[in-house]
Amino acid sequence: MTIPIEMFNEEHELFRAQCRRFIESELAPNADAWETAKDFPDEVFRKVGAAGFFGIRVPEQYGGAGGDHLMASVWIEECSRAGSGGVVAGINMHGLIILPALAQLANEEQKQRFLVPGVRGEKIGALGLTEPGVGSDLFNCASIAKRDGDDWVLNGAKMFITNGCRADFVLVLCKTRPEDGHGGFSTLIVEKGMKGFDQGKRLEKLGWHASDTAELVFDNVRVPSANLMGQEGQGFYNAMANLEWERLMMALGSIAASQLVWDRTMEYVQTRQAFGRPIGRFQVNRHKMVDMATGIEAARQLNYHCLRLLLAGRPCLKEVSMAKIFACEVTDSVATTCLQLHGGYGYMKEYKVERFFRDARLNTIGGGTTEIMKEIIGKLIGL
Amino acid sequence: MKIIVILKQVPDSETKIKVKGDGSGIETDGIKYVISPYDEYAVEEALKLKEKAGGDSTVTVVSAGPDRTVESIRTALAMGADAAVHVNDPALEGADSLGVARALAKAIQDNGFDIIFAGKQGIDQDNSQVPSAVAELLDIPQVNIIAKFEITEDKSKATVSRRIEGGEETIETSLPALFGCEKGLNEPRYASLPGIMKAKKKPVKTVDLAGLGLDAGEVGAAGSHVKILKWIPLPERQAGKILQGMETAEASKELVRLLREEAKVI
Ligand SMILES: Cc1cc2nc3c(=O)[nH]c(=O)nc-3n(C[C@H](O)[C@H](O)[C@H](O)COP(=O)(O)OP(=O)(O)OC[C@H]3O[C@@H](n4cnc5c(N)ncnc54)[C@H](O)[C@@H]3O)c2cc1C
């Protein structure tokens, strides 16, 4: 029996080359300017859309490509080359979280209104789960919508929302029947310009500078019932349904970025001299490079294992939670170590390690913290 | 319209090329191969023409090279070309431009053609020979290094421009004809994911020289008029010399002396 070693075939590699060409010619050259401006233009969404990269996981009938998780993984890995975690966050929140959610849960009329223009990058989406008062503990969210005639009247706030300021629409998780517990949540599509909907202003952050992260406030916003996404009462389950993939995405992206930084550091430690030799030739630094390479490889293989399970439709919550912890913690230490190996230059903006160091810090927090991952695994192993 | 694109697979320009120790060629291990960039303009122009001409127009890619060439052919199919002919024969390894052109011209003739696009040159050996030779062998007009392309409504004529020193040269030609494409002619599209997924199902016909009715002894390396005798790596860059601790006038003098006597460039 021969066991195939490579998961990615010729088609994936062809797609990878297209992704790389796009990212290296359309995104990477602007990364510095966008990071400095703490913004990137909406036009970038149109470009990604026009080149077809928003449609990876959207069925063809809505303008997408009908690709699977593996194709999306290729895109995610290549995104590390964009040189700005914030730009990637904005683009992939829209393309790999919002659009597949619409494809899965929205009704036909909503798909025409949000998914079809979304694939073209003409309408931009955001996801509103976290609130000022709750993040990990979404069950205790305070946003509430009450039925009034044909509308829902929404009150509450959402915090740290990626694409929040620019979003044309936000998928908002809220309680519609608080007395029904987990079955009392729904998802409303709140649109830009609805009365009482304040998209706030950009929050200042440690990293992800180019992305717009906002606090959204809903003050008696009347949301027409046509904007209820999925079934009433299913909101909590729907939000949880795709977390495995969302977490695996973070793990994949974080390891691809780590690899890139490791590669650059490898070059640096071979050329930078101290005490008459390249700094990589000191045993302590050589071991650092090896330890990082080992961590990256191990994390990558666990990620790929999860990807195989996901593709096979097998339950993999435990494995994905492990992968997210491991990949993001590896990335965190890669960021610290690579910066250290760059010495003073590592602390300077010019050398990009500094940006990676700031951007990578989010990984163990966003999409479910490391501690929450451990709680999930703890439950699954029966402790 | 039967639109043909001649395409060559070349090492990626970012690949570090190493010459083999014995000078017989380059190390092929670890080389990444891509479509020669000028050929991408040819593919794009062909696809644009197909979209414009409509009807039952087709774009067929014709390429000569070893097995790995299929990857580049698939990229062109993923961009939107309809079919391909892959001339694959070990005898072509080491063939000169004329030999390759003969093989391509025969494959194009067998397929049928109304118009042919090629890159103005392959970025590996920069010979710029094959397109002109193909046109000659097919006995059709050719214009190389075109930066603009237009075709008349009835598709009998094309107007193209070439950049020349200080201006632009506009040329009108009857069709069929062959055009060598230059940077700036268009912006090659990305192969879309649906395009990539469909590319696998598109027909790639593989033929060898015998299948084209050609004699390997004549067209292949054995019959080559041009032979590469030896590949020589670029000499290692020498360390520079810095003139220090001198007044400007003195340093200039010394610089001139070094340029004349040591570097022998003036
Ligand atoms: C840049 C950025 C972009 C974001 N984008 C979005 C977005 O687009 N949409 C969205 O909905 N959210 C977004 N978030 C929010 C993110 O998902 C949350 O920050 C994250 O889930 C953690 O929630 P919290 O910040 O409320 O932390 P808390 O839940 O308050 O946690 C604080 C600390 O307590 C720990 N903790 C909590 N519970 C436990 C426990 N049971 N056991 C042990 N430790 C525990 C946590 O691990 C953490 O260390 C974004 C965040 C950032 C920083």
Side-chain angles (χ1 to χ4, degrees):
Chain A
M1 187 172 95
T2 50
I3 301 170
I5 292 178
E6 282 301 330
M7 233 184 347
F8 300 108
N9 63 27
E10 195 194 322
E11 277 179 10
H12 298 113
E13 294 314 324
L14 212 165
F15 183 54
R16 190 183 293 282
Q18 299 299 312
C19 296
R20 188 169 300 186
R21 188 180 131 212
F22 179 84
I23 289 161
E24 287 185 343
S25 58
E26 303 288 345
L27 305 183
N30 302 309
D32 290 354
W34 293 337
E35 283 284 313
T36 308
K38 297 194 174 170
D39 193 10
F40 65 101
D42 286 358
E43 181 57 27
V44 176
F45 284 84
R46 324 270 187 259
K47 275 194 177 159
V48 176
F53 295 113
F54 276 145
I56 301 176
R57 295 210 46 240
V58 174
E60 285 198 58
Q61 73 208 88
Y62 301 107
D68 61 10
H69 291 105
L70 212 46
M71 282 293 183
S73 303
V74 169
W75 165 257
I76 292 166
E77 290 188 337
E78 290 307 310
C79 276
S80 57
R81 293 170 190 276
S84 158
V87 173
V88 173
I91 288 172
N92 286 346
M93 167 54 74
H94 176 71
L96 293 175
I97 295 182
I98 303 297
L99 298 182
L102 286 167
Q104 196 184 347
L105 299 167
N107 62 33
E108 187 57 33
E109 183 270 334
Q110 291 166 343
K111 282 177 182 159
Q112 295 302 331
R113 265 199 297 152
F114 303 106
L115 180 57
V116 172
V119 169
R120 292 198 294 259
E122 287 161 11
K123 273 193 185 169
I124 300 165
L127 179 68
L129 306 179
T130 309
E131 301 191 348
V134 291
S136 306
D137 182 19
L138 284 181
F139 179 70
N140 282 316
C141 95
S143 294
I144 277 202
K146 289 211 173 85
R147 194 79 199 214
D148 182 31
D150 259 357
D151 297 337
W152 294 95
V153 178
L154 175 66
N155 279 290
K158 292 288 171 183
M159 193 56 149
F160 310 138
I161 305 308
T162 303
N163 292 340
C165 293
R166 72 168 102 225
D168 295 295
F169 65 95
V170 187
L171 309 182
V172 177
L173 178 71
C174 58
K175 287 186 178 161
T176 41
R177 270 176 182 274
E179 63 278 16
D180 284 358
H182 286 97
F185 290 77
S186 300
T187 309
L188 294 178
I189 309 177
V190 179
E191 296 179 68
K192 192 179 207 83
M194 283 183 169
K195 199 159 169 272
F197 175 32
D198 179 0
Q199 295 184 264
K201 56 177 189 310
R202 302 164 152 271
L203 302 169
E204 291 288 329
K205 311 182 284 294
L206 170 68
W208 280 22
H209 280 172
S211 95
D212 99 62
T213 310
E215 179 179 359
L216 311 179
V217 178
F218 311 96
D219 177 15
N220 282 312
V221 181
R222 295 194 81 88
V223 183
S225 56
N227 281 21
L228 171 75
M229 187 180 83
Q231 281 180 7
E232 188 182 337
Q234 291 296 302
F236 194 81
Y237 305 113
N238 290 339
M240 297 299 133
N242 293 311
L243 280 181
E244 287 167 8
W245 166 239
E246 283 157 26
R247 287 170 180 163
L248 184 52
M249 269 173 44
M250 290 198 70
L252 284 163
S254 120
I255 287 306
S258 296
Q259 180 70 58
L260 211 62
V261 171
W262 186 91
D263 291 346
R264 283 204 203 118
T265 306
M266 186 65 183
E267 255 180 68
Y268 190 78
V269 300
Q270 284 173 302
T271 46
R272 176 74 180 177
Q273 303 262 336
F275 299 97
R277 60 174 120 162
I279 56 169
R281 288 287 158 80
F282 294 109
Q283 191 184 42
V284 66
N285 293 338
R286 183 160 59 230
H287 286 193
K288 279 182 191 167
M289 292 306 293
V290 172
D291 288 345
M292 287 193 288
T294 308
I296 291 171
E297 191 60 35
R300 179 168 29 231
Q301 295 313 327
L302 180 53
N303 288 349
Y304 285 0
H305 174 60
C306 292
L307 204 43
R308 287 191 191 93
L309 292 174
L310 202 71
L311 284 163
R314 298 249 290 268
C316 54
L317 182 58
K318 187 175 77 183
E319 289 80 358
V320 167
S321 305
M322 290 174 169
K324 166 135 194 318
I325 297 176
F326 192 58
C328 298
E329 300 287 345
V330 161
T331 300
D332 214 30
S333 85
V334 165
T336 305
T337 310
C338 286
L339 194 146
Q340 183 70 16
L341 285 167
H342 276 76
Y345 290 103
Y347 203 70
M348 299 297 125
K349 289 208 161 168
E350 197 189 335
Y351 273 75
K352 310 286 187 272
V353 192
E354 175 263 358
R355 185 180 303 162
F356 176 68
F357 178 83
R358 290 183 288 102
D359 286 352
R361 195 58 194 81
L362 182 70
N363 293 0
T364 60
I365 299 170
T369 65
T370 289
E371 293 73 26
I372 292 301
M373 294 302 104
K374 291 187 182 176
E375 284 303 292
I376 292 172
I377 300 166
K379 248 186 230 152
L380 287 168
I381 62 172
L383 264 181
Chain B
M1 279 191 105
K2 279 191 168 173
I3 308 164
I4 303 284
V5 178
I6 307 178
L7 179 149
K8 185 178 189 185
Q9 189 186 48
V10 298
D12 187 348
S13 57
E14 278 172 27
T15 304
K16 287 197 183 90
I17 302 286
K18 269 203 206 111
V19 173
K20 278 187 192 159
D22 63 0
S24 65
I26 59 169
E27 301 272 9
T28 49
D29 274 2
I31 288 189
K32 202 180 127 220
Y33 290 94
V34 296
I35 299 178
S36 181
Y38 296 110
D39 298 352
E40 287 190 343
Y41 302 121
V43 174
E44 178 62 33
E45 205 56 32
L47 294 174
K48 275 168 66 182
L49 177 57
K50 175 190 157 161
E51 283 156 11
K52 192 170 168 224
D56 52 1
S57 293
T58 55
V59 173
T60 304
V61 173
V62 182
S63 185
D67 293 348
R68 59 172 156 77
T69 311
V70 175
E71 294 161 29
S72 292
I73 290 175
R74 291 257 178 248
T75 305
L77 295 174
M79 285 169 78
D82 301 285
V85 181
H86 177 197
V87 184
N88 187 353
D89 196 314
L92 280 173
E93 197 69 41
D96 60 11
S97 301
L98 182 59
V100 174
R102 281 194 174 142
L104 293 174
K106 188 63 183 15
I108 292 169
Q109 196 144 43
D110 289 354
N111 183 81
F113 63 96
D114 294 312
I115 189 165
I116 304 172
F117 292 100
K120 69 164 181 171
Q121 73 198 77
I123 63 147
D124 49 355
Q125 295 181 27
D126 289 333
N127 286 332
S128 312
Q129 300 265 318
V130 169
S132 306
V134 168
E136 192 60 30
L137 290 163
L138 294 173
D139 198 21
I140 55 171
Q142 61 116 355
V143 187
N144 207 357
I145 325 191
I146 63 162
K148 261 189 218 159
F149 175 86
E150 268 167 48
I151 192 165
T152 53
E153 208 50 55
D154 66 354
K155 294 165 199 122
S156 65
K157 275 186 205 152
T159 310
V160 301
S161 5
R162 311 172 71 233
R163 278 190 217 118
I164 54 170
E165 214 169 312
E168 218 180 57
E169 179 184 39
T170 305
I171 297 175
E172 187 186 271
T173 171
S174 60
L175 295 177
L178 181 146
F179 303 95
C181 301
E182 163 72 311
K183 186 177 180 173
L185 175 65
N186 53 46
E187 190 57 47
R189 68 193 65 191
Y190 293 96
S192 68
L193 188 47
I196 289 170
M197 299 200 295
K198 277 175 205 137
K200 215 176 205 159
K201 290 174 212 122
K202 292 180 176 174
V204 179
K205 191 170 128 192
T206 308
V207 286
D208 57 11
L209 292 175
L212 289 171
L214 297 172
D215 179 357
E218 223 177 282
V219 178
S224 179
H225 298 281
V226 176
K227 286 208 165 56
I228 295 174
L229 300 180
K230 197 170 165 63
W231 293 70
I232 306 166
L234 287 172
E236 291 274 339
R237 206 141 135 221
Q238 307 270 315
K241 203 173 248 178
I242 297 172
L243 302 179
Q244 275 168 322
M246 289 185 218
E247 292 297 323
T248 311
E250 192 191 345
S252 317
K253 247 190 204 160
E254 176 62 4
L255 188 62
V256 171
R257 188 190 69 78
L258 287 171
L259 286 171
R260 189 191 301 272
E261 291 173 18
E262 281 195 17
K264 297 195 171 73
V265 293
I266 53 171

